[in-house]
Amino acid sequence: MDPRTSLTALRDFCAEHLGPGLAERVAGLARPGFALTPAAPDQAAGHSRFGGDPLLEPGVPWPTCEGLPMSLLAVLDTDALPPWLDGLLPPGTGLLNFFHLDTESEQSDPAAWDVVRELGVRAPEAGCVVAARSRLAVETGPPTGASVFAPVAWQAEPGFVLPDLFDDAWDTLGLGLGADHDAVQAFTYELHNGLSVPGEPRSEDLAFGRPVFPTGSAPLLPDGEEAESYHHLLQLSDKHEWSIGGDGGWMHWSIPTRALRAGDFTQAIPTPDIW
């Protein structure tokens, strides 16, 4: 299904539950995303995968936090994603390498826990995204102290993602109190409890789209930042060899939308969901 057809199906679905006026506003909150699921090598979205070694341009330093090396958690090959992002990324963005300081796996350096305990797992310094142009990127072995996780290739299935029940995005509708507010609230609870949305990417690992918050939390952004000024980059569930611990323990990275459109991934930050 192409993006236009999928978005029309989503609007029709919302209209069935909310009526045409509200449906258009609610469907306007949907963002294109990609369900990431294990794939055979010939079905993978380019170099997209969980784990393995990062793909970096020669000379790019390995990211660190307080002098400790971060660990590579995932690679997203944006050049190989289906063309659903509608100009959100600059052409030739290439590969995105997602790093975070490992504190929970059997490989983790005990000193990392001391750092995260002081800074907090949500600290921008504890994670980063390093972009690399596909034609220049090479697999880069880790320094001592970085964890390496078994690679799992991903395929990427596109679709549109509505906000999670706990996402502040619903507040941007400005519904106040009344029938419209009650209708949308009932709709979001139905979505949360399993109402099937046509064409929605179905995977606990997700590229772009909107984040899910199994702990009942919300986007954890720097103080004073508006959630809708950020764009979701990647969601990793707690089903992997790596974990951030706690209850829930789903990892996310987000980036200011203006930085995403400019291709400035130095502004990407970890926005985990954890209690």
Side-chain angles (χ1 to χ4, degrees):
M1 188 180 294
D2 64 89
R4 182 175 297 179
T5 303
S6 183
L7 191 55
T8 297
L10 175 62
R11 288 178 178 136
D12 291 344
F13 168 80
C14 291
E16 291 176 12
H17 292 268
L18 297 167
L22 273 178
E24 191 68 23
R25 297 174 68 185
V26 167
L29 296 178
R31 288 178 173 177
F34 304 88
L36 302 173
T37 54
D42 62 342
Q43 297 175 324
H47 298 286
S48 298
R49 55 173 159 78
F50 171 82
D53 289 330
L55 290 158
L56 303 176
E57 294 185 22
V60 171
W62 191 280
T64 61
C65 176
E66 298 293 308
L68 297 176
M70 297 186 198
S71 298
L72 186 280
L73 298 183
V75 176
L76 190 61
D77 189 343
T78 67
D79 291 344
L81 294 177
W84 278 54
L85 296 176
D86 192 25
L88 189 62
L89 295 172
T93 293
L95 304 159
L96 302 180
N97 296 272
F98 292 82
F99 289 88
H100 201 271
L101 195 61
D102 177 25
T103 61
E104 296 289 332
S105 82
E106 294 181 355
Q107 304 178 55
S108 66
D109 184 335
W113 173 245
D114 294 331
V115 170
V116 169
R117 182 171 53 190
E118 180 179 349
L119 295 178
V121 72
R122 304 179 181 95
E125 301 95 326
C128 68
V129 177
V130 180
R133 290 165 289 183
S134 298
R135 62 185 177 82
L136 299 177
V138 294
E139 284 203 1
T140 303
T144 300
S147 303
V148 180
F149 304 105
V152 179
W154 276 327
Q155 59 183 339
E157 293 296 327
F160 282 94
V161 185
L162 286 169
D164 182 71
L165 171 65
F166 304 105
D167 199 315
D168 296 338
W170 295 107
D171 296 338
T172 65
L173 294 178
L175 297 176
L177 300 177
D180 285 354
H181 172 272
D182 293 344
V184 170
Q185 187 175 57
F187 179 65
T188 61
Y189 273 99
E190 287 187 74
L191 295 175
H192 183 69
N193 291 319
L195 180 64
S196 181
V197 180
E200 182 182 33
R202 294 197 171 275
S203 175
E204 292 181 339
D205 297 324
L206 183 75
F208 297 97
R210 288 188 177 273
V212 173
F213 306 102
T215 67
S217 183
L220 296 171
L221 298 171
D223 291 343
E225 296 282 357
E226 294 291 335
E228 284 302 280
S229 69
Y230 275 72
H231 209 94
H232 185 241
L233 288 175
L234 183 68
Q235 170 179 299
L236 290 181
S237 72
D238 61 354
K239 304 300 190 293
H240 295 286
E241 179 186 356
W242 172 85
S243 170
I244 57 174
D247 293 328
W250 285 28
M251 191 65 207
H252 305 275
W253 289 262
S254 299
I255 187 172
T257 301
R258 65 182 183 280
L260 178 61
R261 293 188 182 278
D264 181 8
F265 290 94
T266 64
Q267 297 189 49
I269 58 172
T271 52
D273 180 31
I274 183 173
W275 284 116

